Amino acid sequence: MRWLLFIIIVGVADYYAFQALRAVTKSNWWYLLYWMFTLAIIGNFVYQFYGFNRSNGFSQSNSLAVGFLIAMIVPKLVLIAVMFTEDIFRVPQGVYSYFMQDSGSDNGVKHLPSRRKFISQLALGIAAVPFASILYGMYKGKYNFKVLKYTLHFEDLPDAFNGYRLTQISDIHSGSFDNVKKVEYAIDLINKQESDVILFTGDMVNNKATELEPYVSIFKKLKATDGMFSVLGNHDYGDYVRWDSDDEKKQNLERLKELQKEIGFDLLLNDNRFLEKKGERIAIIGVENWGKGGFKKAGDLKQAAFGVDKNDFKVLLSHDPSHWDAEVINDEYHYHLTLSGHTHGMQFGIEIPGVFKWSPVKWRYKHWAGIYEQLGQYINVNRGFGYLAFPGRVGIWPEITVIELKKGVKNA
């Protein structure tokens, strides 16, 4: 029943959007092409998700079906908006004409004014922008890796770590990848940053450890002088697929832990490590996933910081940035820098680096991309390395973050 309702709603909306094309051309070939394209996209979406099997998880073909549906719907929503705006003026004109027309006039006269060709052409031109952007995002944007560099100043940073460089990556979602060469390029790009340490903040896979196996040899090429550390994200626990048994689910998580170790990551499960230089140290603290809004709350901040002195300089790895607001920022321990991911920046938005950034995800997460500061503490929310569900990125590109720690006060 829900599929029938979905098709009816989409069909009615689609016919309304179709009026823009009818006002521009009278060619039946264009009409046929329009409806063939529409039916193919909707048919593929229904085919991919009718009787969806949660045991298999979200596949690449499912992802493509979602992507093409979005590529079709968003431009048509633009068409509908423009057509509806025209009708706000057109329909009242028709009503007025109907009631004010002389009784002796020709009954064949149409009271509703014809759609203006210029408005329809304008609507189609505007709709072409998101259509092209979404297709670009699916073809190239998802691998348009950007290195974002920040310098953060701390008065209590140990002298030995002045100029220390951290590279953060997050949300790899290896099960979504469809281009090995692009992933290899990104790994080379990370290594070129020559950071002292690499920190991964969760969601290595979409659901299953097997998704990572084809890429282990690639990720093993990652190198950092002082090692690599990681935490789990909400997708790493396998909570979003149906398992035959609890044991199978546990084995999947254990396999993922083994693969991370094989790559070279020291996985922190509510635990910590110290990095030492010249008799001084900083703490790397990693919590398991903790998130608001129904997400897993396996993170234990107190346990993770056990053995860390209150006065130690602390870098916290926590996948979900909502944890920062809920527990971290007001904790008696001063967490100098928290590294998170999770939001992906919704993989869609408008951003001019250093000037402007916007994404609908801001209505869900207060801290959704980039550096934020509060109470003398910082959080960086990484936009993500990979992608999920929608097989692309539009305006919010995959990110490799490089943070340099500096001793002292900014601009001092």
Side-chain angles (χ1 to χ4, degrees):
M1 182 64 186
R2 68 177 184 270
W3 287 110
L4 180 61
L5 182 62
F6 166 78
I7 293 172
I8 291 173
I9 292 173
V10 171
V12 171
D14 223 315
Y15 184 77
Y16 190 67
F18 174 65
Q19 303 312 307
L21 184 64
R22 289 187 62 186
V24 171
T25 179
K26 303 303 179 184
S27 171
N28 289 328
W29 287 108
W30 279 109
Y31 299 166
L32 179 64
L33 184 63
Y34 177 96
W35 288 113
M36 286 180 62
F37 172 80
T38 298
L39 292 174
I41 297 298
I42 295 175
N44 181 56
F45 182 82
V46 173
Y47 172 76
Q48 292 294 336
F49 287 94
Y50 185 77
F52 177 72
N53 187 345
R54 284 194 61 200
S55 297
N56 297 328
F58 201 79
S59 68
Q60 289 184 1
S61 59
N62 296 145
S63 183
L64 285 172
V66 170
F68 286 125
L69 186 70
I70 292 173
M72 180 190 76
I73 287 178
V74 173
K76 290 182 179 181
L77 288 177
V78 173
L79 290 177
I80 290 171
V82 177
M83 295 296 100
F84 181 75
T85 301
E86 183 187 20
D87 283 346
I88 290 175
F89 299 97
R90 196 168 70 99
V91 172
Q93 289 175 14
V95 173
Y96 177 82
S97 174
Y98 177 80
F99 285 105
M100 298 303 293
Q101 180 181 314
D102 291 338
S103 58
S105 62
D106 185 357
N107 290 333
V109 172
K110 293 183 179 180
H111 299 285
L112 191 64
S114 298
R115 290 194 179 277
R116 286 175 288 179
K117 185 176 181 179
F118 168 74
I119 296 296
S120 296
Q121 289 173 329
L122 179 65
L124 289 167
I126 295 173
V129 175
F131 180 69
S133 298
I134 291 169
L135 290 183
Y136 174 83
M138 292 173 61
Y139 179 60
K140 283 194 171 182
K142 60 188 177 184
Y143 295 121
N144 186 22
F145 295 98
K146 300 297 182 183
V147 178
L148 301 184
K149 297 183 178 182
Y150 305 97
T151 300
L152 301 180
H153 293 75
F154 302 91
E155 292 184 78
D156 56 348
L157 179 70
D159 291 333
F161 288 88
N162 185 33
Y164 199 76
R165 287 164 59 90
L166 319 170
T167 286
Q168 180 198 2
I169 53 176
S170 191
D171 299 87
I172 287 174
H173 289 287
S174 53
S176 298
F177 292 144
D178 58 8
N179 191 318
V180 172
K181 294 295 184 183
K182 294 294 185 181
V183 178
E184 290 176 337
Y185 162 78
I187 297 304
D188 289 340
L189 192 58
I190 293 171
N191 286 334
K192 285 179 181 178
Q193 306 314 308
E194 298 183 338
S195 290
D196 297 287
V197 66
I198 294 175
L199 305 170
F200 173 67
T201 47
D203 277 1
M204 183 68 77
V205 297
N206 295 341
N207 297 296
K208 297 183 176 182
T210 51
E211 299 166 14
L212 180 58
E213 290 175 352
Y215 298 95
V216 169
S217 60
I218 299 173
F219 285 108
K220 284 174 70 173
K221 297 177 183 177
L222 287 170
K223 289 180 173 54
T225 306
D226 294 337
M228 306 193 300
F229 302 90
S230 65
V231 292
L232 296 175
N234 55 298
H235 279 267
D236 293 323
Y237 296 90
D239 289 340
Y240 305 123
V241 292
R242 185 179 293 113
W243 301 93
D244 291 335
S245 66
D246 289 340
D247 284 342
E248 185 182 15
K249 183 179 179 181
K250 291 177 182 177
Q251 289 171 10
N252 176 73
L253 182 56
E254 290 305 312
R255 177 58 179 158
L256 180 60
K257 293 176 183 178
E258 291 172 2
L259 291 174
Q260 290 214 29
K261 184 177 180 181
E262 186 177 339
I263 289 170
F265 283 110
D266 185 353
L267 180 61
L268 303 179
L269 303 170
N270 294 325
D271 203 354
N272 61 79
R273 303 287 186 270
F274 288 104
L275 301 178
E276 298 187 6
K277 284 183 177 295
K278 299 178 181 179
E280 295 182 305
R281 69 182 190 179
I282 63 174
I284 305 294
I285 301 166
V287 296
E288 293 198 50
N289 191 79
W290 194 105
K292 288 183 178 179
F295 290 104
K296 182 183 286 292
K297 290 181 172 62
D300 187 329
L301 191 59
K302 298 299 182 186
Q303 179 182 330
F306 181 78
V308 176
D309 190 85
K310 190 174 182 179
N311 295 317
D312 281 323
F313 187 93
K314 295 172 283 294
V315 177
L316 174 67
L317 312 184
S318 181
H319 177 69
D320 192 318
S322 65
H323 189 211
W324 196 61
D325 283 324
E327 292 193 349
V328 177
I329 195 68
N330 292 311
D331 191 86
E332 61 178 345
Y333 269 38
H334 183 86
Y335 289 89
H336 299 76
L337 174 61
T338 298
L339 302 178
S340 297
H342 182 62
T343 71
H344 298 205
M346 203 175 167
Q347 297 169 209
F348 170 81
I350 302 170
E351 185 166 15
I352 303 173
V355 178
F356 175 80
K357 65 180 179 183
W358 176 89
S359 170
V361 78
K362 67 176 291 185
W363 296 319
R364 173 64 176 85
Y365 290 96
K366 180 180 178 181
H367 307 103
W368 59 274
I371 296 282
Y372 302 87
E373 187 271 337
Q374 190 174 333
L375 300 177
Q377 301 169 79
Y378 291 91
I379 184 173
N380 180 62
V381 184
N382 184 284
R383 293 159 181 80
F385 184 94
Y387 51 92
L388 179 69
F390 172 61
R393 286 179 175 265
V394 179
I396 304 294
W397 312 119
E399 175 182 346
I400 298 163
T401 312
V402 178
I403 299 176
E404 184 177 11
L405 307 179
K406 296 291 285 186
K407 176 83 172 184
V409 181
K410 184 178 181 180
N411 297 325

